Amino acid sequence: MNITIYDVAREANVSMATVSRVVNRNPNVKPVTRKKVLATIERLGYRPNAVARGLASKKTTTVGTIIPDVSSIFFSELARGIEDIATMYNYNMILSSSDQNKEKELQLINTMLETQVDGIVFMGGTVTKEHVEEFATSHVPVVLAATQDVTETIPSVNIDYEAASYEATMYLINNHKGIPAFISGRDHTMIGDYKMRGYKRALSESHLDVKDTYIVEGSYSYDSGMKAIKELLALDTPPKSVFVSSDEMALGAIHGAQDKGYNVPKDIGVFGFDNTRLATMVRPTLSTVVQPMYDIGAVSMRLLTKFMNKEDVEEKKVILPHRIIERHSTK
Amino acid sequence: MNITIYDVAREANVSMATVSRVVNRNPNVKPVTRKKVLATIERLGYRPNAVARGLASKKTTTVGTIIPDVSSIFFSELARGIEDIATMYNYNMILSSSDQNKEKELQLINTMLETQVDGIVFMGGTVTKEHVEEFATSHVPVVLAATQDVTETIPSVNIDYEAASYEATMYLINNHKGIPAFISGRDHTMIGDYKMRGYKRALSESHLDVKDTYIVEGSYSYDSGMKAIKELLALDTPPKSVFVSSDEMALGAIHGAQDKGYNVPKDIGVFGFDNTRLATMVRPTLSTVVQPMYDIGAVSMRLLTKFMNKEDVEEKKVILPHRIIERHSTK
DNA sequence: ATGAAAGCGCTAACAA
DNA sequence: TTGTTAGCGCTTTCAT
């Protein structure tokens, strides 16, 4: 079979404990011995078995991350942030897509717990009591990335979605005529709610009416953005601007409007959300809310490492700064 | 601590072997006993420890996948294909980004081997002898996805890049005036070579000269596509069409041309490669080579499961079909 | 159909 | 500084 710590010990004339020490960089080894051991490790091509180590030490140095969809432009950027920090701290990462399906999410949590991951970063629509209960069946720390938790008990990293949406809508109100429309995500998630709330607050503070026909539901996809804008433009008095809750839908909205012969931003201003790479890959370039996705991932993972090390954490709910960026799809 | 198989055995008045049998769906258990065991598993909330199982059985049911960059639109689509099939066959997936950095790739392979993964799906620029040697230090099967291997020894799933490029270039030759230009990837990978070869073959078979100034190197990024097209358009006799080796660069090329006042496709036709979602998220929509990314991932993983099960595999190098799709950026 | 017992390869006291 | 020795929680013969 494979070379084990035993083989190395025998060949180097030391005990397995000593080999274990040098592999784990324990300082209590005489330099000469260390050298000898290292040499025979090299010679035999010994590779420590992480599974055995995991069983003995009760630590696997792997973290689980649950993501709605790896192939999503938005979430994969988050995943990269998580991964980079995980790598930095020498953790492996098990990655699974949930499609925001609750059953699947629960199932994945369970599987990851079986795998004895040392921690979990969770991204999803909303975390419910059931999620929390599932998490609680084990004692591994969990951090939510760009995800809200109805129980408000789990550490998380987010931006202030309500404020961001408020600012974006305000921008539209100040730079375009009339009442801005809103293309929401189809999901009835907390984040979706916050965005809606920010939109409505901006209107009401500006003494503008919330018109039901100006609020249309998309599904975060390009096509749904296109469909939504067409509905809006077919109205008797179409809006002069629209706040769209994701960049991808915003691109759909821009192209949908253009396909109908409208000029963006002259006839209709479009404001996105996220600032994914798509925002600059469209003409006109997209004004949008900057959500620091990579950072959210990175900070989440960093936070998780602290929990895994049982360090004290001052703030369990971190809110990262956001800002709006003005490009050419508005004004 | 946690509930172990011992606890269940004791509570159910059976041996741990029996518990193990019911957990593993071994048929040699009397229905009554099974029921009893299942009940106490439920009651105690027992969750099998996958690490212990892995140590005892020498199988972890996890596969490693190495990807250049999770946040890449192209590769993350592949990853989703891999993941879906992995899930279907009950494998976990460890995912790591390599940035196409050889040292990092070698390092990741090593780490994954330590983790005792049952198999590896590798995506990257080119697989060298060193990669192969590293793979060989263990006996886990490896499959390359959308990746070429200089030693031609490792199972892989690809499309015929040379033929695809040939066809795309031919299309340009037949539908646009003059000699098509070519924006390549910066990488000197085998796939890059194949694309170049296909491009050149199309020209030579059409009795057209290969002009050095018409071949410019990009880096697969949007910006590099933009930069490249500007170089091309600044030539004394700019090309009337350009074949671009990735969709993302092609978008950059389209916008770069448009920003300079050129009309796509009238003044210059643009042909992409990959058919990522971007291809329809641009105006004019992008004519491109359809590379079935999800399928490449899925087939790779399926192939890997066969190797892991030690099934016989007829064809170790699978070539998936490709096609070109005509949209509005050409003709 | 069920149980006993020997590992799997390593870590982590504890001893020396 | 080094070695001895229990486990870690499970699978897997081998008996019964």
Side-chain angles (χ1 to χ4, degrees):
Chain A
M1 261 320 290
N2 263 323
I3 313 294
T4 74
I5 202 173
Y6 268 110
D7 303 321
V8 177
R10 181 169 22 77
E11 292 287 316
N13 287 312
V14 295
S15 72
M16 55 184 301
T18 301
V19 179
S20 176
R21 287 191 188 96
V22 349
V23 168
N24 293 300
R25 292 178 170 63
N26 182 318
N28 292 343
V29 181
K30 205 163 32 168
V32 193
T33 332
R34 176 188 312 282
K35 205 159 195 171
K36 185 174 60 176
V37 172
L38 249 15
T40 102
I41 283 177
E42 178 71 18
R43 179 161 63 81
L44 301 185
Y46 167 68
R47 187 170 4 228
N49 180 325
V51 175
R53 170 181 293 170
L55 183 58
S57 69
K58 298 179 164 296
K59 283 188 197 322
T60 53
T61 61
T62 104
V63 298
T65 114
I66 293 172
I67 189 174
D69 181 6
V70 227
S71 65
S72 146
I73 294 172
F74 174 76
F75 286 110
S76 64
E77 188 73 29
L78 272 158
R80 190 45 143 110
I82 295 168
E83 202 211 314
D84 283 355
I85 304 301
T87 302
M88 180 178 303
Y89 284 84
N90 275 103
Y91 282 93
N92 286 110
M93 179 178 92
I94 292 184
L95 200 270
S96 297
S97 299
S98 67
D99 294 316
Q100 304 247 32
N101 178 126
K102 187 169 171 180
E103 293 314 311
K104 214 167 166 185
E105 287 173 346
L106 262 17
Q107 159 67 39
L108 288 175
I109 294 169
N110 189 51
T111 306
M112 288 185 175
L113 259 17
E114 287 186 2
T115 314
Q116 308 296 112
V117 293
D118 294 339
I120 294 178
V121 178
F122 183 94
M123 295 172 270
T126 306
V127 168
T128 67
K129 281 196 208 82
E130 286 173 74
H131 290 85
V132 176
E133 281 164 19
E134 191 70 26
F135 286 138
T137 59
S138 129
H139 290 197
V140 315
V142 177
V143 173
L144 309 179
T147 301
Q148 302 280 324
D149 154 27
V150 295
T151 72
E152 307 233 326
T153 59
I154 303 189
S156 61
V157 181
N158 286 284
I159 63 170
D160 185 339
Y161 295 99
E162 200 272 351
S165 301
Y166 170 84
E167 290 161 32
T169 308
M170 270 308 192
Y171 176 91
L172 254 18
I173 292 173
N174 293 331
N175 292 278
H176 291 260
K177 297 194 197 310
I179 302 175
F182 178 46
I183 300 179
S184 71
R186 178 201 42 215
D187 57 340
H188 300 291
T189 62
M190 291 179 73
I191 290 181
D193 285 353
Y194 286 138
K195 289 178 181 171
M196 179 71 84
R197 236 174 276 173
Y199 165 75
K200 287 184 176 171
R201 180 161 66 91
L203 293 197
S204 83
E205 288 190 10
S206 307
H207 309 292
L208 257 23
D209 288 337
V210 172
K211 298 172 66 170
D212 283 352
T213 51
Y214 272 24
I215 298 182
V216 6
E217 241 179 45
S219 64
Y220 287 120
S221 74
Y222 177 85
D223 287 344
S224 76
M226 193 161 225
K227 181 156 170 286
I229 196 76
K230 284 179 181 164
E231 268 180 50
L232 254 12
L233 294 175
L235 257 25
D236 287 342
T237 52
K240 295 289 185 198
S241 70
V242 57
F243 172 46
V244 189
S245 53
S246 85
D247 283 355
E248 183 167 336
M249 281 199 294
L251 288 224
I254 289 177
H255 291 150
Q258 289 172 341
D259 290 354
K260 287 267 178 203
Y262 286 80
N263 177 290
V264 177
K266 266 191 202 141
D267 303 325
I268 181 158
V270 178
F271 210 102
F273 204 110
D274 291 342
N275 195 37
T276 57
R277 301 155 61 209
L278 294 178
T280 53
M281 291 166 61
V282 61
R283 290 302 122 97
T285 53
L286 183 68
S287 297
T288 194
V289 172
V290 180
Q291 169 168 29
M293 298 158 293
Y294 181 92
D295 294 348
I296 292 179
V299 170
S300 301
M301 185 60 210
R302 179 66 185 97
L303 194 55
L304 189 63
T305 63
K306 290 184 184 171
F307 288 120
M308 293 188 296
N309 291 335
K310 304 194 187 320
E311 291 174 32
D312 273 337
V313 174
E314 53 304 337
E315 193 46 82
K316 296 190 198 305
K317 301 184 84 64
V318 0
I319 303 295
L320 258 25
H322 66 269
R323 61 194 170 84
I324 65 177
I325 187 168
E326 184 183 343
R327 284 195 274 247
H328 301 297
S329 66
T330 54
K331 201 187 182 185
Chain B
M1 263 320 293
N2 263 324
I3 312 294
T4 75
I5 200 172
Y6 267 110
D7 303 321
V8 177
R10 181 169 21 78
E11 293 287 315
N13 287 312
V14 297
S15 71
M16 53 183 302
T18 300
V19 179
S20 175
R21 287 192 189 94
V22 350
V23 168
N24 294 298
R25 292 177 169 63
N26 182 318
N28 292 343
V29 181
K30 207 169 21 172
V32 193
T33 337
R34 175 188 313 283
K35 206 158 193 170
K36 183 173 59 175
V37 172
L38 249 17
T40 104
I41 283 179
E42 178 71 18
R43 179 161 62 81
L44 301 185
Y46 167 68
R47 192 178 348 239
N49 180 325
V51 175
R53 171 182 292 171
L55 183 58
S57 69
K58 298 180 164 297
K59 284 188 196 323
T60 54
T61 61
T62 104
V63 298
T65 113
I66 293 172
I67 189 173
D69 180 6
V70 226
S71 64
S72 145
I73 293 173
F74 175 76
F75 285 110
S76 65
E77 188 73 27
L78 271 158
R80 190 46 143 110
I82 295 168
E83 202 212 313
D84 283 355
I85 305 302
T87 301
M88 180 178 301
Y89 284 86
N90 274 103
Y91 282 93
N92 286 109
M93 179 177 92
I94 291 185
L95 199 270
S96 298
S97 299
S98 67
D99 293 316
Q100 304 247 31
N101 177 125
K102 188 168 169 180
E103 293 313 312
K104 214 166 165 185
E105 287 172 347
L106 262 18
Q107 159 68 39
L108 288 175
I109 295 169
N110 189 52
T111 306
M112 288 184 173
L113 259 17
E114 287 186 1
T115 314
Q116 309 296 112
V117 293
D118 294 339
I120 293 177
V121 178
F122 183 94
M123 294 172 272
T126 305
V127 168
T128 67
K129 281 194 207 85
E130 287 173 73
H131 290 85
V132 177
E133 282 164 19
E134 192 69 27
F135 286 138
T137 58
S138 130
H139 291 196
V140 316
V142 177
V143 172
L144 309 179
T147 301
Q148 301 281 323
D149 155 26
V150 294
T151 72
E152 308 231 326
T153 60
I154 304 191
S156 60
V157 181
N158 286 283
I159 62 168
D160 185 339
Y161 295 99
E162 200 271 350
S165 302
Y166 170 85
E167 289 161 31
T169 309
M170 269 309 195
Y171 176 91
L172 255 17
I173 291 172
N174 292 332
N175 293 279
H176 291 260
K177 293 195 197 312
I179 301 176
F182 178 47
I183 300 179
S184 71
R186 178 200 43 217
D187 59 340
H188 300 290
T189 62
M190 291 178 73
I191 290 180
D193 285 352
Y194 286 137
K195 288 178 181 170
M196 178 72 83
R197 236 175 276 172
Y199 165 75
K200 288 184 175 171
R201 180 161 66 90
L203 293 197
S204 84
E205 286 189 11
S206 307
H207 308 293
L208 258 21
D209 288 336
V210 173
K211 297 172 68 170
D212 284 351
T213 51
Y214 272 24
I215 299 182
V216 7
E217 240 180 47
S219 63
Y220 286 120
S221 73
Y222 177 83
D223 288 343
S224 76
M226 193 161 225
K227 182 157 168 285
I229 197 76
K230 285 179 181 164
E231 268 180 51
L232 254 11
L233 294 176
L235 258 24
D236 286 341
T237 51
K240 296 288 186 199
S241 70
V242 57
F243 172 46
V244 189
S245 51
S246 85
D247 282 355
E248 183 168 335
M249 282 199 293
L251 288 223
I254 288 176
H255 291 150
Q258 289 171 340
D259 290 354
K260 287 267 178 203
Y262 286 79
N263 177 290
V264 177
K266 267 192 201 141
D267 303 325
I268 182 159
V270 178
F271 209 102
F273 204 110
D274 291 343
N275 197 35
T276 57
R277 300 156 61 209
L278 295 178
T280 53
M281 290 165 62
V282 62
R283 290 300 121 98
T285 53
L286 183 68
S287 296
T288 194
V289 172
V290 180
Q291 171 168 27
M293 298 158 294
Y294 181 91
D295 294 347
I296 292 179
V299 171
S300 300
M301 185 61 210
R302 180 64 186 100
L303 195 55
L304 189 62
T305 63
K306 290 185 184 171
F307 287 121
M308 294 188 296
N309 291 335
K310 306 196 184 320
E311 290 173 33
D312 273 336
V313 173
E314 54 304 337
E315 192 47 81
K316 297 191 198 304
K317 301 184 84 62
V318 0
I319 303 294
L320 258 24
H322 65 268
R323 63 195 168 84
I324 65 178
I325 186 167
E326 185 183 343
R327 283 196 273 248
H328 301 297
S329 66
T330 55
K331 198 187 182 184

